[in-house]
Amino acid sequence: MAPPAPVPPVNPSGSPHSPPPSHTATVAGVPVDTRHWIGGERLASASATAPATFTDHSPIDGAPLAEIARGGVAEARAAVVAARDAFPAWAATPPAERARLLHAVADGVEARAEDLAAVETADNGALLRSHRRGVMPRVAHNLRYFADRLLALAHDDFETRGHTNHVSWDPAGPAVLITPWNAPLMLASWKIAPALAAGNTVVLKPAEWTPLTASLFADIAHEAGLPAGVLNVVQGYGAEVGEPLVADPDVRRISFTGSVPTARRIAAASAAHLVPCSFELGGKSPLLVFADADLELAADLAVEQFDNAGQICLAATRILVEESVRDAFLGHFLDRVTKLTQGDPRDETTDIGPNIHPRHVERVDGFVRRALDAGAKAVTGGGRNTALGGNYYLPTLLTDVAQHSEIVQEEVFGPVLTLQTFPDGDEDEAVRLANGTRFGLAATLATGDRERAGRVSARFVAGTVWVNCFFVRDLSAPFGGSRDSGIGREGGDWSFDFYCDLKNTVTAPKGWARHG
Ligand code: NDP
């Protein structure tokens, strides 16, 4: 690892302890409204029993960024009612007009991409260069893609004994979208775009640790002409505003990205009204490296798993290497790790920034401590980067870990990888280890043998398989996880499948009134 540079303050002019009580916070030079966006209006929380705001901090230096409206039962209900009331007109809006408006929102995202990138980096600590070059363009692409896809949906007609069967994609109704903090606006737009394109109205609840770009997005959508109530954003804690949202009887779809325990709570709450849920959950994905692989490429793929400080659901955190190439692979891997720069995510040269929150780092460190106590060895990393402060965790690789151990079985969601080996030539054992967790989100494979690639890919339990690559994916492809990694698939027509109630209208050839 290159020596870290000190991290300058995120809000240099702000008071470290008490940001001014206002409905606007200035974050990275960008004004952000800190209230909910409900029914086309900005609303503060009005609770007699709980504090009406909570403080949002930057993971970069822990500085307070904003006092955010803290929603509860009343705000959840108000947002769902706004979405319910706006639904009939939005559902009846011609698809071409809905698509036009989504493209207009995408134009707004592109026009404000620099602001969105700067605020997102201040709020979630991911690299500014990634937000500028990858994430914000992808947010606009999500909107454009589903706008265009809507217009290309197949409205199939079938014929049965002279009767016509006509299939239509009817919007289901108000959709609640709940997102995590690791990729806030990217994941929000990935859900908002198909939900709105399909003709549903939306209530978005972003994660409490990263509320800011959702608020900017509401402004952008409003300025682009999205009618009041079509998109609503409520801020606050999952337990306070998320729970009443997912239990609301007027909600017709719930799309959730987050952890398995929260998904279980949402599934239980939504069961009361039999509301269909789409769950994109955690992972503990393998990276298999066979002896016939390009080991330089395999090492590149392994180091990529430290992106976003390891806070990527798809990350291949379990490296499984064929015994005879273990040392050669490890040499290439460590060579790359020494060249990584950890530090301020706003710096162009930084490769690894902070983790999201001191509480989360504590959790990450707990996994590593327990693994070390159980006999694991840290070949690199193994603790906090103390030169940078509490939120920065060293990129870590642990060896001497058992398949059944906690560190191999549980999602850490930090820059922590494990390395195991499988016997030379034992493809069965490689697949057994790869599939040997309760997750099934993704799997990555490095091999020079095309036949092996086909054979092994077919045996993975995973929603996405990458062969000699990582993270590349077309929006038309299905995305989701197997086992505890999720329920359902989104992407392409699968998104419309989820957000629509498909209807078949069968028309007889007879019974028509004669005119003229
Ligand atoms: P959580 O499950 O803790 O939170 C996700 C969202 O759910 C947050 O907005 C949270 O609110 C909200 N929430 C919490 N409790 C409830 C509740 N009872 N009812 C309704 N909503 C609730 O996950 P994290 O934020 O910690 O995100 C990390 C997880 O997300 C990891 O497991 C990761 O793998 C997964 N993930 C999966 C992806 C995929 O596509 N498969 C992609 C990205 C992440 P708040 O936190 O604001 O209180």
Side-chain angles (χ1 to χ4, degrees):
M1 288 269 306
V7 176
V10 173
N11 265 0
S13 57
S15 151
H17 298 299
S18 53
S22 143
H23 294 316
T24 304
T26 302
V27 176
V30 180
V32 185
D33 200 305
T34 54
R35 292 169 293 180
H36 313 288
W37 174 251
I38 297 175
E41 286 178 23
R42 287 288 175 184
L43 293 173
S45 278
S47 166
T49 51
T53 62
F54 66 96
T55 308
D56 176 36
H57 295 88
S58 176
I60 300 176
D61 60 0
L65 294 175
E67 287 296 311
I68 302 290
R70 181 168 163 181
V73 173
E75 289 74 23
R77 182 62 189 155
V80 173
V81 166
R84 183 198 65 191
D85 293 349
F87 174 67
W90 182 246
T93 301
E97 175 60 7
R98 293 204 299 264
R100 186 192 69 74
L101 280 165
L102 286 178
H103 277 291
V105 180
D107 292 343
V109 167
E110 283 166 358
R112 296 205 61 191
E114 278 297 309
D115 286 352
L116 290 166
V119 170
E120 196 83 296
T121 290
D123 208 14
N124 90 331
L127 300 186
L128 181 59
R129 65 179 150 93
S130 306
H131 282 147
R132 277 186 175 145
R133 288 173 215 151
V135 175
M136 296 312 157
R138 166 68 190 277
V139 168
H141 181 55
N142 283 341
L143 294 157
R144 296 193 191 288
Y145 171 83
F146 284 106
D148 294 343
R149 191 79 218 162
L150 163 71
L151 302 181
L153 277 179
H155 293 262
D156 289 330
D157 284 328
F158 309 100
E159 194 176 304
T160 312
R161 298 193 307 273
H163 294 56
T164 311
N165 293 237
H166 176 72
V167 179
S168 53
W169 303 74
D170 294 358
V176 163
L177 313 178
I178 299 190
T179 47
W181 42 260
N182 64 325
L185 195 55
M186 205 294 284
L187 288 171
S189 60
W190 157 253
K191 296 176 189 300
I192 290 169
L196 293 186
N200 304 285
T201 50
V202 158
V203 179
L204 169 70
K205 194 210 88 66
E208 92 215 17
W209 284 344
T210 53
L212 299 178
T213 49
S215 184
L216 290 177
F217 186 84
D219 291 338
I220 291 168
H222 174 60
E223 282 156 22
L226 210 65
V230 169
L231 170 72
N232 305 275
V233 178
V234 288
Q235 304 282 10
Y237 299 127
E240 294 178 357
V241 74
E243 281 195 14
L245 275 178
V246 297
D248 194 292
D250 284 320
V251 169
R252 295 314 318 147
R253 288 292 185 278
I254 297 167
S255 177
F256 168 76
T257 299
S259 64
V260 176
T262 306
R264 290 207 174 95
R265 280 197 290 277
I266 293 175
S270 63
H273 307 293
L274 291 179
V275 178
C277 294
S278 169
F279 288 151
E280 295 179 358
L281 310 177
K284 192 73 187 177
S285 303
L287 162 58
L288 261 71
V289 180
F290 283 94
D292 56 26
D294 174 343
L295 294 184
E296 300 261 3
L297 170 68
D300 285 339
L301 294 175
V303 171
E304 252 189 87
Q305 312 309 319
F306 292 134
D307 282 1
N308 209 15
Q311 301 165 139
I312 294 182
C313 55
L314 295 159
T317 50
R318 294 184 296 130
I319 304 172
L320 303 167
V321 190
E322 196 161 347
E323 185 65 48
S324 57
V325 293
R326 176 195 187 272
D327 292 348
F329 166 82
L330 198 52
H332 292 305
F333 174 83
L334 292 174
D335 188 42
R336 282 156 177 75
V337 173
T338 54
K339 294 187 181 117
L340 293 174
T341 304
Q342 186 163 34
D344 188 334
R346 296 163 297 179
D347 190 329
E348 273 287 310
T349 60
T350 296
D351 299 304
I352 303 183
N355 286 102
I356 184 71
H357 194 276
R359 229 164 54 217
H360 186 64
V361 179
E362 196 53 44
R363 184 173 176 273
V364 170
D365 195 49
F367 279 116
V368 173
R369 297 284 123 222
R370 290 190 293 278
L372 294 172
D373 287 349
K377 292 192 177 62
V379 186
T380 185
R384 291 180 171 87
N385 190 333
T386 45
L388 287 169
N391 267 7
Y392 294 72
Y393 207 83
L394 288 166
T396 294
L397 179 70
L398 301 176
T399 61
D400 300 82
V401 292
Q403 177 70 10
H404 65 269
S405 64
E406 180 193 59
I407 196 73
V408 170
Q409 293 294 323
E410 298 297 326
E411 184 183 43
V412 175
F413 223 54
V416 178
L417 311 179
T418 57
L419 186 137
Q420 297 167 267
T421 57
F422 56 89
D424 288 339
D426 196 343
E427 213 171 88
D428 286 345
E429 178 64 358
V431 171
R432 188 187 73 78
L433 293 171
N435 286 337
T437 74
R438 66 195 163 96
F439 295 104
L441 190 55
T444 301
L445 171 62
T447 178
D449 181 340
R450 278 182 193 278
E451 284 183 18
R452 188 202 298 279
R455 249 187 346 259
V456 173
S457 300
R459 296 176 67 188
F460 282 139
V461 180
T464 302
V465 174
W466 281 292
V467 180
N468 293 330
C469 60
F470 179 65
F471 222 64
V472 187
R473 185 171 68 83
D474 194 280
L475 293 193
S476 299
F479 179 77
S482 307
R483 298 177 175 161
D484 274 10
S485 290
I487 295 179
R489 297 291 183 269
E490 295 191 44
D493 287 357
W494 288 275
S495 291
F496 289 98
D497 209 22
F498 173 68
Y499 288 110
C500 292
D501 283 326
L502 281 146
K503 184 165 70 194
N504 184 26
T505 303
V506 183
T507 305
K510 60 191 176 191
W512 300 104
R514 290 177 207 281
H515 293 291

